[in-house]
């Protein structure tokens, strides 16, 4: 059952993406660790971390595309799941600091000592163990999404109303995490990490390892998403997107389908956040900023909604542009981003992926439709 | 619950519903026998579509009984639950899944387990494939099976929707204006198709087109201001002075 499911999902698109990501997971760490620093083949630790960060953004974009592109749920609050996964990972990293903190308390993180707390809050228990933290990376965003989705989808909140509540959800979390007495480091968040799984978080080897992990997790979730969207369930999701009430009238409980894909997507976003935090070295409430969630939607729109590959391309391209732009003309970045969104919506409704598909169909010779049909039939 | 419900496939008794004070359905009663085909006619705003909405769970009645198969209370179920009982509905405006192929549209409607896990790991069986092929043949879209539904003409979409309805293998079909926007030839063919369906299933047809209703040759119910005005064969009903008054105006 599972094998059929995965092989059916492992189409040519998924094969290419997986191959590229696995190749990156091998080549980039090798390029970072093997050649001497002055070699042209050398990839600096800064670059490794930067690209690693892009890959975690790509995973977030993939999560957004799954709900928005396939099921029509426009989430403007996916950053919340990303940030919660990030906080769960950050809590683990904080507990690893131990006596190396400024106040050298073996149990309490620095900010708690600073706030004169005597005991570790109950919700910090267990985060000294990596397996527990990883479980929380999945459970916390998943559970929040499940509860949120349970109420929202059962009450049949859709369209712009749902988008607004997702936005409210992430904003509420932003305000909550800003408070010092929440116990998550308030405004400053969690930072000054030292070790991850016993390895120094700053060392080039760890950075390369984190990059490889990001690439492999992305490949894994891409295959899952691909298999999902190609299954009959994926067809039901698209049916919900296109004609929700029709789908109900042929007997599908739409709210169950939405809840399933919504929760899965939140888990993906959480894992993305957990991979992001050790690479950038900090997690603070600004990750809950509604603008961050909107940005993720823009990546998907730019890459091409409802294509999966488009989400990855969009996330990498836009963030590459952001890095470049904020280096050159930092004050203009938001205008550029807004302009990009307007241009894509007006002229490229199917994004970069759609543009390529259109160029390809233009170049295709009009006279050999049979051969083309055979080729595509053989490949799928 | 009345004993009259026994043996019927669909039983509506004294059903009323109002929207913001407007009585869309007013003490409507209707009984459909198994295997019966019934045409519902009536001027605009008579409550035809609202009646369909009540039967399929889209709208909850304020009062009255709605029973399926003489015993199942439809007012307590949601749309998906009612569809799973075997009640299929075709909308006035053809609604097919535009970004799916014709074949996938049929597959989605095909009678099968509708749960999330069942569809996630669903694999099309040989018997399902045979059934899909048969249905495509019935609705004459076999050569269009790989085409996106969005590319179909209006009439073809209507047929595809009828095909999806058949794929559900319902015991009761509710068909809202199947001939709307069709050419005369298509309308005649649709009447033949519906009569074919009515041999094995119960059908309720809402229609404006009188020639079409005449083609069907079945018992007619006339709705007016949310309740039944007259019932009987078309000729008898259209001779009824009350019906003439409603249709031709005062």
């Amino acid at each position: 059952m599972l094998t059929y499911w995965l092989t059916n999902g492992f189409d040519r698109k998924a094969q290419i993406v997986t191959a590229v990501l696995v190749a990156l997971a091998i080549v980039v760490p090798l390029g970072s660790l093997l050649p001497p620093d002055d070699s042209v083949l050398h990839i600096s630790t800064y670059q490794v971390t930067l690209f690693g960060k892009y890959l975690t953004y790509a995973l977030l974009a993939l999560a957004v595309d799954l709900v928005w592109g396939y099921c029509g749920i426009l989430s403007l609050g996916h950053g919340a799941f990303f940030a919660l996964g990030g906080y769960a990972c950050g809590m683990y990293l904080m507990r690893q600091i131990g006596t190396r903190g400024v106040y050298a308390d073996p149990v309490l993180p620095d900010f708690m000592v600073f706030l004169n707390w005597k005991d570790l809050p109950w919700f910090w228990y267990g985060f000294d163990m990596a397996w527990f933290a990883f479980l929380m990376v999945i459970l916390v965003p998943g559970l929040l999404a499940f509860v949120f989705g349970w109420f929202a989808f059962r009450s049949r909140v859709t369209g712009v109303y749902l988008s607004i509540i997702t936005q409210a959800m992430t904003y509420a979390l932003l305000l909550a995490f800003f408070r010092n007495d929440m116990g998550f480091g308030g405004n400053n968040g969690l930072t000054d990490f030292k070790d991850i799984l016993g390895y120094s978080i700053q060392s080039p080897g760890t950075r390369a390892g984190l990059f490889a992990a990001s690439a492999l997790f992305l490949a894994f979730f891409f295959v899952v998403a691909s298999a999902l969207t190609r299954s009959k369930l994926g067809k039901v999701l698209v049916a919900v997107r296109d004609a929700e009430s029709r789908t109900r009238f042929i007997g599908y409980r739409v709210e169950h389908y939405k809840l399933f894909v919504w929760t899965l997507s939140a888990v993906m976003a959480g894992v993305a956040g957990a991979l992001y935090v050790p690479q950038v070295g900090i997690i603070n409430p600004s990750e809950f900023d509604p603008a961050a969630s909107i940005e993720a939607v823009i990546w998907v729109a730019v890459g091409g909604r409802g294509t999966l590959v488009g989400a990855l391309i969009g996330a990498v391209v836009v963030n590459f542009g952001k890095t470049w732009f904020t280096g050159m003309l930092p004050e203009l970045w938001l205008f550029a981003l807004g302009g990009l969104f307007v241009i894509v919506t007006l002229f490229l409704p199917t994004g970069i992926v759609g543009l390529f598909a259109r160029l390809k169909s233009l170049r295709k010779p009009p006279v050999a439709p049979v051969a083309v049909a055979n080729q595509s039939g053989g490949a799928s | 619950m009345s004993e009259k419900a026994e043996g019927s496939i669909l039983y509506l008794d004294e059903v009323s519903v109002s929207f913001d004070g407007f009585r869309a359905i007013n003490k409507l009663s209707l009984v459909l026998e198994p295997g019966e085909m019934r045409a519902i006619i009536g001027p605009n705003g008579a409550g035809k579509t609202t009646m369909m909405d009540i039967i399929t769970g889209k709208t909850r009645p304020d009062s009255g009984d709605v029973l399926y198969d003489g015993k199942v209370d439809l007012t307590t179920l949601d749309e998906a639950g009612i569809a799973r009982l075997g009640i299929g509905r075709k909308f006035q405006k053809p609604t097919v899944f535009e970004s799916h192929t014709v074949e996938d549209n049929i597959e989605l409607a095909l009678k099968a387990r509708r749960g999330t896990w069942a569809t996630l790991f669903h694999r099309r069986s040989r018997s399902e494939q045979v059934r899909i092929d048969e249905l495509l043949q019935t609705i004459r879209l076999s050569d269009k099976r790989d085409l996106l539904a969005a590319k179909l003409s209006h009439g073809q979409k209507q047929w595809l929707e009828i095909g999806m309805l058949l794929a559900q293998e319902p015991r009761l079909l509710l068909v809202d204006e199947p001939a709307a926007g069709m050419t005369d030839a298509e309308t005649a063919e649709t009447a033949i198709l519906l009569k074919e369906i009515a041999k094995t299933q119960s059908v309720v047809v809402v229609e404006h087109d009188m020639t079409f209703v005449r083609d069907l040759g079945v018992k007619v119910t006339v709705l007016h201001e949310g309740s039944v005005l007259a019932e009987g064969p078309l000729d008898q009903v259209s001779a009824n002075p009350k019906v003439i008054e409603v249709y031709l105006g005062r």
Side-chain angles (χ1 to χ4, degrees):
Chain A
M1 190 166 81
L2 200 63
T3 19
Y4 164 76
W5 188 70
L6 284 171
T7 45
N8 182 48
F10 207 57
D11 61 343
R12 211 159 63 102
K13 197 167 74 177
Q15 286 164 12
I16 295 171
V17 171
T18 315
V20 168
L21 287 172
V22 170
L24 280 176
I26 296 167
V27 171
V28 171
L30 286 182
S32 162
L33 299 176
L34 287 185
D37 282 3
D38 50 358
S39 160
V40 280
L41 295 175
H42 179 73
I43 304 169
S44 73
T45 305
Y46 167 75
Q47 284 166 327
V48 171
T49 306
L50 189 66
F51 293 133
K53 191 175 83 172
Y54 292 167
L55 291 181
T56 64
Y57 284 153
L59 184 51
L60 173 61
L62 187 70
V64 171
D65 194 26
L66 203 55
V67 287
W68 183 40
Y70 287 89
C71 199
I73 304 168
L74 174 55
S75 168
L76 297 179
H78 250 53
F81 305 125
F82 182 82
L84 285 173
Y87 266 99
C89 180
M91 286 161 82
Y92 162 74
L93 296 171
M94 286 306 268
R95 298 284 312 261
Q96 297 305 298
I97 298 173
T99 53
R100 284 167 297 176
V102 179
Y103 299 107
D105 191 297
V107 178
L108 294 187
D110 275 350
F111 74 89
M112 291 187 194
V113 181
F114 184 76
L115 291 172
N116 270 325
W117 291 13
K118 297 286 171 265
D119 303 302
L120 197 68
W122 62 268
F123 47 85
W124 277 77
Y125 288 160
F127 277 95
D128 49 333
M129 292 170 286
W131 66 267
F132 181 83
F134 190 74
L135 203 64
M136 289 300 131
V137 162
I138 291 169
L139 280 184
V140 173
L143 206 66
L144 173 69
F146 186 84
V147 172
F148 178 94
W150 174 267
F151 288 109
F153 301 140
R154 223 176 43 137
S155 324
R156 302 199 179 173
V157 181
T158 53
V160 69
Y161 301 100
L162 187 88
S163 301
I164 291 169
I165 324 181
T166 58
Q167 186 105 95
M169 171 189 74
T170 195
Y171 193 64
L173 286 166
L174 168 80
L175 296 179
F177 274 71
F178 256 125
R179 293 156 45 96
N180 276 329
D181 45 4
M182 271 288 280
F184 295 102
N187 189 12
N188 299 318
L190 311 174
T191 188
D192 285 332
F193 309 133
K194 307 284 189 234
D195 289 343
I196 182 165
L197 302 169
Y199 299 98
S200 161
I201 207 156
Q202 301 291 349
S203 81
T206 313
R207 294 291 164 127
L210 286 168
F211 175 91
S214 304
L216 294 177
F217 267 106
L218 180 57
F220 169 74
F221 279 118
F222 191 91
V223 173
V224 169
S226 171
L228 190 104
T229 52
R230 287 174 62 87
S231 71
K232 190 176 173 189
L233 181 133
K235 290 176 189 170
V236 175
L237 293 182
V238 172
V240 170
R241 182 191 73 189
D242 288 354
E244 181 168 331
S245 69
R246 188 79 187 87
T247 317
R248 284 185 207 281
F249 283 117
I250 52 177
Y252 292 100
R253 287 241 151 71
V254 167
E255 52 274 24
H256 293 186
Y257 284 83
K258 283 185 172 175
L259 191 59
F260 172 79
V261 72
W262 173 256
T263 307
L264 177 73
S265 169
V267 167
M268 284 165 66
V271 171
L275 288 162
Y276 169 84
V277 166
Q279 299 190 71
V280 298
I282 182 166
I283 174 78
N284 62 33
S286 71
E287 298 297 336
F288 286 109
D289 190 342
S293 299
I294 293 173
E295 234 176 272
V297 170
I298 297 179
W299 306 335
V300 177
V302 169
R305 176 189 169 199
T307 58
L308 296 183
V309 188
L312 310 198
I313 295 173
V316 173
V317 167
V318 175
N319 280 294
F320 195 78
K322 184 180 184 175
T323 306
W324 182 82
F325 226 100
T326 44
M328 309 291 285
L329 303 157
E331 63 281 4
L332 290 182
W333 165 244
L334 276 180
F335 292 98
L337 188 68
L340 185 68
F341 191 54
V342 172
I343 290 169
V344 167
T345 323
L346 286 181
F347 302 109
L348 275 178
T350 46
I352 297 173
V353 170
L355 182 71
F356 275 109
R358 218 183 321 163
L359 289 179
K360 222 162 102 185
S361 67
L362 282 182
R363 249 189 317 182
K364 208 163 35 180
V367 260
V370 182
V372 172
N374 277 345
Q375 257 173 17
S376 60
S380 59
Chain B
M1 281 167 205
S2 165
E3 286 186 0
K4 280 188 286 176
E6 220 155 288
S8 68
I9 182 110
L10 183 66
Y11 176 84
L12 277 76
D13 188 33
E14 301 266 298
V15 176
S16 295
V17 68
S18 31
F19 303 115
D20 299 325
F22 169 70
R23 282 235 156 166
I25 295 286
N26 190 9
K27 296 197 172 169
L28 176 74
S29 301
L30 187 116
V31 183
L32 193 75
E33 302 301 325
E36 186 186 345
M37 171 148 66
R38 177 77 59 89
I40 311 270
I41 60 171
N44 280 330
K48 297 173 305 237
T49 301
T50 311
M51 187 193 80
M52 297 278 218
D53 285 347
I54 288 173
I55 298 168
T56 53
K58 195 180 174 198
T59 303
R60 295 240 178 281
D62 299 334
S63 61
D65 291 329
V66 184
L67 299 180
Y68 172 68
D69 217 5
K71 52 185 183 290
V72 187
D73 184 1
L74 294 182
T75 57
T76 57
L77 296 168
D78 67 349
E79 297 99 316
I82 291 172
R84 289 180 198 187
L85 281 177
I87 298 182
R89 178 174 185 183
K90 196 207 143 310
F91 288 83
Q92 197 169 338
K93 210 177 113 215
T95 35
V96 294
F97 303 123
E98 305 240 321
S99 41
H100 278 312
T101 62
V102 169
E103 186 168 354
D104 283 349
N105 266 279
I106 298 286
E107 188 192 10
L108 282 172
L110 210 59
K111 189 182 169 83
R113 290 169 62 203
R114 296 285 201 243
T116 321
W117 293 109
T119 46
L120 180 58
F121 294 110
H122 174 266
R123 187 176 183 174
R124 197 184 290 181
S125 67
R126 187 168 289 274
S127 61
E128 282 181 323
Q129 188 62 53
V130 170
R131 182 90 181 101
I132 291 172
D133 293 345
E134 277 172 14
L135 283 161
L136 287 172
Q137 208 118 58
T138 313
I139 57 171
R140 291 159 212 191
L141 290 175
S142 294
D143 54 331
K144 306 252 182 343
R145 63 193 314 154
D146 293 323
L147 208 63
L148 289 186
K151 306 251 183 219
L152 295 179
S153 73
H154 181 83
Q156 285 168 333
K157 279 185 193 166
Q158 295 273 33
W159 280 67
L160 175 56
E161 207 184 351
I162 291 173
M164 289 165 73
L165 205 53
L166 294 177
Q168 293 178 62
E169 296 176 24
R171 288 180 55 212
L172 170 64
L173 281 86
L174 306 172
V175 192
D176 204 348
E177 298 201 25
M182 282 193 168
T183 62
D184 289 348
E186 283 171 332
T187 307
E189 273 185 54
T190 307
I192 295 168
L193 183 67
L194 279 180
K195 277 194 268 188
E196 191 62 38
I197 293 167
K199 282 181 188 162
T200 50
Q201 279 129 330
S202 315
V203 186
V204 174
V205 188
V206 165
E207 190 50 76
H208 268 307
D209 187 335
M210 283 301 166
T211 5
F212 182 76
V213 175
R214 197 169 296 277
D215 278 355
L216 291 177
V218 296
K219 189 171 168 186
V220 175
T221 298
V222 187
L223 288 194
H224 177 55
E225 288 175 354
S227 37
V228 176
L229 188 69
E231 210 165 60
L234 183 63
D235 294 327
Q236 187 192 320
V237 160
S238 48
N240 185 323
K242 278 192 290 180
V243 176
I244 296 172
E245 191 188 308
V246 164
Y247 262 97
L248 301 178
R250 273 146 267 200

